[in-house]
Amino acid sequence: MSESHDPALPPHVEDLAQRVLREVFERDLKLATAESCTGGLLASLLTDVPGMSQVFERGFLTYTPEAKTEMLGVEPRMMAAEGEVSEAVARAMAEGALERSNADLAIAITGYTEGGPGRSAGLVHIACVRWSRPTAHRRLELGSFGRASIRAAALEAALDLLSEQLSRRAGEARRREAAAEGSRSWAAADPARARAPKASPSAERAARR
């Protein structure tokens, strides 16, 4: 049970976090996060579960566009064209977190917890990437029902997407879409990297054993 969230998260979200961490642990993988609207809550949740926090490699808290560029390599032109809260940016955040860490998979969340000019309250984009697999994406349109509720829903969706990546439950249509979009994203960011991806950290650890 996590200990530091106030107000407390729904029990089923904490249970889901424990199941995801157990899956990551059993596969000898490491996990990284990149967060914006959730303000580090996902990283906090994943490091609060007793006996499982060692699977967490690092977290990036990138609340501003500048932070997304400096820490994750998200292109300013992409954010200007697509919007800071968009599928393209969520994918770039996840891929940047994976590339800039020693993790085997990374999850990214960007969204609006409050409405305003050009801002749809409750719009959240989540992306998850694992080495040698296409980047998966999920869009939430939650509406205006409170900052805490939106964050809790975003955490649940992120954990569910992580579980999906781990268990390969994604349907063929979603997998084909993610493969096409993920390949274009990686290639656009760095064609050389797309041609010759580096070995995953878990593969490197296995090679050393």
Side-chain angles (χ1 to χ4, degrees):
M1 183 71 68
S2 65
E3 301 169 351
S4 63
H5 296 91
D6 185 20
L9 290 170
H12 72 275
V13 175
E14 298 191 345
D15 291 343
L16 179 57
Q18 293 185 45
R19 292 198 302 272
V20 167
L21 285 171
R22 192 174 301 112
E23 289 183 75
V24 177
F25 177 80
E26 290 173 352
R27 288 164 172 77
D28 190 28
L29 301 175
K30 295 290 185 181
L31 172 65
T33 60
E35 299 179 69
S36 180
C37 66
T38 46
L41 287 176
L42 181 58
S44 177
L45 176 61
L46 293 172
T47 54
D48 272 355
V49 178
M52 291 290 171
S53 61
Q54 67 268 31
V55 306
F56 185 81
E57 205 278 326
R58 75 185 71 185
F60 299 88
L61 180 53
T62 57
Y63 209 72
T64 65
E66 293 79 11
K68 291 178 177 65
T69 297
E70 293 170 7
M71 298 177 70
L72 300 172
V74 181
E75 290 289 340
R77 286 178 295 181
M78 176 191 292
M79 288 185 280
E82 302 288 340
E84 189 180 347
V85 175
S86 62
E87 177 179 348
V89 170
R91 288 177 178 272
M93 288 172 64
E95 292 163 4
L98 189 67
E99 186 69 17
R100 289 161 172 76
S101 69
N102 294 314
D104 301 287
L105 69 163
I107 184 83
I109 306 173
T110 182
Y112 296 126
T113 56
E114 298 176 345
R119 300 162 60 99
S120 298
L123 174 63
V124 179
H125 285 274
I126 303 167
C128 184
V129 62
R130 182 175 174 181
W131 284 111
S132 74
R133 296 188 187 179
T135 305
H137 165 261
R138 187 166 296 176
R139 175 190 174 108
L140 306 179
E141 296 184 29
L142 302 168
S144 302
F145 72 116
R147 177 184 293 265
S149 297
I150 290 171
R151 284 179 163 178
L155 292 181
E156 181 177 2
L159 290 167
D160 188 62
L161 191 57
L162 272 169
S163 181
E164 187 176 274
Q165 279 285 63
L166 287 164
S167 61
R168 305 185 185 185
R169 289 195 316 243
E172 287 300 323
R174 180 181 295 179
R175 193 176 293 120
R176 285 196 298 269
E177 176 190 358
E181 292 298 324
S183 297
R184 284 196 289 270
S185 177
W186 282 94
D190 187 338
R193 184 179 64 189
R195 288 193 299 271
K198 73 178 185 180
S200 71
S202 60
E204 293 174 351
R205 289 196 297 274
R208 289 196 296 269
R209 285 200 288 264

